[in-house]
């Protein structure tokens, strides 16, 4: 088998990269070790920046997103007694969309299987080889158990945090890793109930953080700060609704409850790996970096990476110019660190940890963001997404 760009991993980063390269006339093959059903069912991010929406629409995979996505002009920041609306269009001229990552993935897979390049599910033993030369290859075993070799001009490692690509880059470049784990986790819930508010609510509370989000006019997505070792079996639906209602309580307002259809505990971590390139192997998305979900940045950062990477690879493979691939890692990492800081800052401001001194600092910061246009604008610009490139 031969292709121009071998792509490891069919998450949003790999699938979108394949689509963007296809539109530039560059051949790809996408290799995914899970099944299509598994990939399409994974519940993850829900908020898309304007740049992400525009990229998906321009790539011809935004039709359902434009129909079913819920535009949001802001968020509420809450602390006891106060629920303050930040109006993004007036603060920074941008907005965001609620549209599940599962739906983005389904749209990309359906476009790829309809008229796109090969997408192979259920492969195993994936190994990128000879990435320091101009003719790298990927060895893998296909879904029928047959060993295969995919000869490439370049390889994209879009195989997420637990993938095989990052270790190959780190080993060959003497790369660096930075990591921060947080002393809390999120309990995420999907429920068949209409959202109780028009916008997302990020709530600070003495019991811990709560987030009210949504997937559609009839489906809510809700999160609670819990201990990292928390067992999901200990959280009955009643206990979840009581905690959510307590932490988001406001006079004259009530949280609607309904059947919980999914619940799980999610770890929180910041992680950056540099460089994002070794020779002809390029990392993008969670393969190179992880942010805690409080800033809603993970998926958007993956999209920003592959936007830069698609342009750089097109220039290399269609034009023989190396300038953009040579600067890819530095340009991507500049944005990665900005989002890493923003996600860490939102996380630190909103989650209960430490003592009463820490709590007073958090409340002071929240009052500042709610009371100062300059402070609110800084949040709004980062939340809605800084320019790519
Ligand atoms: P993904 O989505 O992890 O996709 C990587 C793909 O590579 C496959 N893979 C391999 N394929 C072939 N060979 C191998 N050896 C392979 N190893 C792995 C995997 O099966 C998978 O299909 O990475 P990508 O494309 O970079 O996309 C990044 C986003 O998925 C991620 O940033 C966000 O989902 C992060 N995230 C969240 N972000 C938010 O902004 N808001 C959220 O609410 C939110 N919730 C979450 C999340 C991430 C989670 N994870 C990773 C545990 C909730 C969870 C549970
Ligand atoms: C979600 O809807 O899943 C969501 C929204 C905002 C976040 C994180 C997750 O900051």
């Amino acid at each position: 088998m031969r292709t121009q760009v071998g792509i490891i991993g069919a998450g949003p980063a790999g699938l979108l990269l394949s689509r963007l390269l296809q539109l530039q006339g560059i051949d790809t093959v996408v290799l995914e070790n899970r099944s299509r059903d598994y990939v399409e069912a994974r519940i993850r991010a829900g908020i898309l920046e304007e740049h992400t929406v525009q990229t998906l629409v321009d790539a011809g995979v935004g039709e359902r997103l434009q129909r079913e996505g819920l535009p949001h002009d802001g968020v509420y920041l809450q602390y006891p007694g106060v629920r303050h609306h930040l109006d993004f269009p007036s603060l920074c001229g941008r907005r965001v969309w609620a549209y599940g990552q599962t739906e983005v993935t389904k749209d990309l897979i359906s476009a790829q299987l309809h008229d796109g390049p090969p997408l192979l599910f259920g492969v195993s033993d994936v190994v990128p080889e000879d990435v320091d030369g101009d003719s790298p290859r990927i060895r893998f075993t296909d879904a029928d158990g047959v060993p295969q070799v995919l000869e490439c001009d370049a390889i994209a490692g879009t195989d997420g945090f637990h993938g095989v690509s990052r270790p190959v880059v780190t080993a060959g470049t003497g790369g660096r890793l930075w990591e921060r784990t947080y002393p809390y986790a999120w309990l995420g819930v999907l429920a068949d109930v209409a959202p109780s508010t028009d916008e997302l609510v990020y709530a600070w509370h003495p019991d811990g953080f709560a987030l009210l989000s949504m997937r559609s006019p009839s489906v809510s997505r809700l999160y609670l700060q819990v201990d990292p070792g928390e067992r999901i079996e200990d959280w009955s639906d009643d206990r979840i609704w009581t905690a959510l209602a307590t932490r988001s309580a406001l006079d004259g307002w009530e949280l609607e409850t309904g059947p919980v259809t999914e619940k799980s505990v999610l770890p929180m971590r910041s992680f950056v790996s540099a460089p994002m390139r070794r020779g002809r192997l390029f990392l993008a998305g969670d393969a190179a970096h992880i942010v805690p979900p409080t800033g809603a940045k993970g998926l958007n950062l993956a999209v920003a990476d592959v936007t830069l990477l698609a342009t750089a690879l097109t220039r290399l493979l269609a034009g023989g110019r190396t300038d953009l691939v040579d600067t890819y890692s530095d340009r991507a990492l500049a944005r990665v660190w900005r989002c890493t800081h923003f996600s860490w800052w939102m996380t630190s401001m909103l989650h209960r940890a430490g003592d009463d001194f820490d709590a007073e600092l958090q409340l002071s910061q929240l009052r500042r963001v709610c009371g100062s246009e300059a402070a609110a604008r800084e949040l709004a610009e980062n939340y809605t997404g800084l320019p790519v490139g």
Side-chain angles (χ1 to χ4, degrees), residues 43-48 75 97-101 186 189-190 200-202 209 211-215 220-223 266 292-297 346 383:
I43 301 172
R44 289 185 174 176
I47 293 291
L48 308 184
V75 294
W97 272 258
Y99 189 68
Q101 181 170 333
W186 276 14
V189 171
L190 204 61
L200 275 65
V201 179
Y202 288 82
F209 171 70
L211 170 59
L212 312 183
S213 180
M214 60 197 75
R215 284 292 178 275
S220 294
R221 178 76 170 146
L222 310 137
Y223 298 95
L266 322 170
T294 326
K297 286 284 155 260
M346 284 282 282
Y383 192 93

Side-chain angles (χ1 to χ4, degrees), residues 3 135 208 217 368:
T3 190
S135 312
R368 172 77 187 155

Side-chain angles (χ1 to χ4, degrees), residues 9 11-13 32-34 42 44-45 101 159 223 285-286 296-298:
E32 166 61 46
N33 63 358
R34 302 286 193 159
R42 238 172 354 204
R44 289 185 174 176
Q101 181 170 333
D159 45 355
Y223 298 95
D286 277 18
K297 286 284 155 260

Side-chain angles (χ1 to χ4, degrees), residues 165-199:
S165 302
R166 186 179 64 252
V168 174
V169 172
T170 307
T173 56
R176 266 200 81 177
L177 310 175
W178 294 262
E179 188 165 19
R180 169 74 43 97
T181 49
Y182 298 87
Y184 31 76
W186 276 14
L187 192 162
V189 171
L190 204 61
D192 279 337
V193 59
S196 299
T197 49
D198 54 342
E199 310 272 33

Side-chain angles (χ1 to χ4, degrees), residues 15 20 26 70-71 92 94 136 170 182 187 195 224 264-265 290 312 335 340 342 350 371 382:
L15 291 165
L20 295 175
I26 306 282
L70 307 173
C92 67
R94 293 192 289 271
T170 307
Y182 298 87
L187 192 162
L224 285 168
S264 54
V265 175
I290 299 280
R335 200 168 195 284
T340 299
F342 177 67
L350 287 160
N382 281 277

